[in-house]
Amino acid sequence: SNYEPAKLTRVALTGVTALVRATAYNMEQKGILWPAEDVGPVLQTADIAHVSNEVSFAPDCPYPNPIGGTTFCSRDSYFTLLQHLGVDVVELTGNHLNDWGRANLLRTIDMYEAAGMAVYGGGKDGTAAAEPALFSHNGNRIAFVGCNSFGPTYAWATATEAGSRPCDEGMAAQVRQLADDGYLVIVTLQYTEDYQYTPSPQQKADFRAWADAGATAVSGSQGHHAQGFDFYKGSFIHHGPGNLFFDQMDMLGTRQTFVDTYVIYDGRLLSVELWTGLIENYAKPRLMTAKERAQALTAVFHASGW
């Protein structure tokens, strides 16, 4: 009886998006919006929908090769998928952002901004890359902060060039200041990749350090393989939600994906809803069956020490 809808905010947090290679090929064959048929409503019904798109759009991006290499670009037509999902904020910590040249990242950021999508974790230069994405919804103040600790060097922003934000000492102070200013801070990281459910001891310590800095939630955007969770000093940590849109079909853990919906009420993160999907045809996450979900949750909960 004391619930007030005007105090509720739902934030959908996702893992890796890379509209390339076999994912892009299937989009060309089956329709640009086809990958979102099952997962789309989860993001569309959120008040703030997040994607970590690791690849820039390029006007000269060729028709996708389903068995191509690891130098990536996305065709402009694929941008429609992000718009269809109702994306509000795009994370730019990815290590493939500059694969097709920094000029195309500049152009891609312009596309996001023209579509009304906020960006963070990367930018047109080092100063812009360090800016958080700030939201105020139903009285809840939410800040997104992100960085790339993995590299490679050419993916990082410089004082004058576009790229992802390198993780630096100043980010911890920024997180603390935002928390002190009343923001619920969501930190997302491009970290070293481990193809296993269990995070390494170093990953666990590094992610906890952001909670110590004042983050309400910490999420591993590097996680091609779904990884476990942690609760630490009142913060929620997901070491890797897994691929949202990507073509890694060789392991069960790279096909499993989580969309974490943060339920925020009256300035507090109250709960996290876990949408569990299984990627089919190199491109489309579908809702897991009850048996598949039980297996996935058992695996990640066990990896979490629960």
Side-chain angles (χ1 to χ4, degrees):
S1 61
N2 63 349
Y3 166 59
E4 298 181 42
K7 294 183 178 181
L8 177 69
T9 301
R10 296 169 60 85
V11 180
L13 234 292
T14 63
V16 176
T17 287
L19 307 179
V20 298
R21 223 162 46 192
T23 299
Y25 180 81
N26 276 281
M27 291 169 66
E28 295 283 355
Q29 297 296 309
K30 303 177 186 296
I32 302 301
L33 305 183
W34 174 75
E37 284 185 354
D38 281 12
V39 73
V42 184
L43 278 76
Q44 291 162 348
T45 56
D47 298 302
I48 303 171
H50 157 280
V51 295
S52 178
N53 189 22
E54 294 204 11
V55 180
S56 295
F57 297 93
D60 60 344
C61 188
Y63 192 86
N65 179 354
I67 55 172
T70 56
T71 300
F72 295 144
C73 65
S74 290
R75 305 180 91 190
D76 282 357
S77 57
Y78 306 162
F79 190 77
T80 306
L81 177 62
L82 303 184
Q83 293 176 301
H84 173 72
L85 290 169
V87 170
D88 299 290
V89 59
V90 181
E91 178 182 346
L92 297 177
T93 65
N95 54 333
H96 290 282
L97 290 173
N98 286 328
D99 281 8
W100 222 250
R102 294 181 191 266
N104 280 310
L105 175 54
L106 288 170
R107 178 178 175 273
T108 297
I109 293 172
D110 285 339
M111 293 170 67
Y112 293 140
E113 292 177 346
M117 302 175 188
V119 299
Y120 76 99
K124 294 184 176 182
D125 55 35
T127 300
E131 289 295 319
L134 304 179
F135 291 84
S136 180
H137 178 269
N138 280 355
N140 298 306
R141 304 176 77 197
I142 300 159
F144 292 84
V145 179
C147 66
N148 175 338
S149 65
F150 181 75
T153 303
Y154 71 81
W156 286 332
T158 70
T160 59
E161 297 176 305
S164 59
R165 177 186 189 176
C167 295
D168 54 49
E169 294 180 359
M171 188 166 131
Q174 180 185 45
V175 170
R176 170 52 59 196
Q177 185 62 58
L178 287 165
D180 288 345
D181 290 343
Y183 284 93
L184 301 180
V185 185
I186 299 172
V187 171
T188 60
L189 305 169
Q190 193 71 211
Y191 194 78
T192 302
E193 180 69 42
D194 284 320
Y195 284 86
Q196 59 187 28
Y197 293 108
T198 305
S200 69
Q202 188 62 55
Q203 182 181 1
K204 190 169 184 178
D206 288 345
F207 279 43
R208 284 185 169 190
W210 293 110
D212 284 328
T216 299
V218 185
S219 191
S221 297
Q222 84 292 333
H224 292 297
H225 190 293
Q227 289 188 294
F229 305 98
D230 193 11
F231 292 111
Y232 176 71
K233 294 186 177 180
S235 298
F236 170 75
I237 298 173
H238 194 170
H239 294 101
N243 291 315
L244 177 63
F245 301 119
F246 197 35
D247 64 0
Q248 293 174 313
M249 293 277 290
D250 54 323
M251 301 173 65
L252 178 61
T254 59
R255 294 181 61 202
Q256 294 168 327
T257 183
F258 287 81
V259 178
D260 300 338
T261 297
Y262 300 166
V263 181
I264 296 168
Y265 184 82
D266 197 18
R268 295 175 55 209
L269 175 58
L270 292 188
S271 65
V272 182
E273 299 172 357
L274 304 177
W275 186 89
T276 48
L278 190 69
I279 295 175
E280 299 279 17
N281 299 109
Y282 301 90
K284 179 184 177 183
R286 62 158 174 81
L287 183 66
M288 287 184 182
T289 65
K291 182 177 180 180
E292 291 166 343
R293 178 176 169 87
Q295 187 281 329
L297 293 180
T298 298
V300 294
F301 289 172
H302 178 74
S304 307
W306 302 344

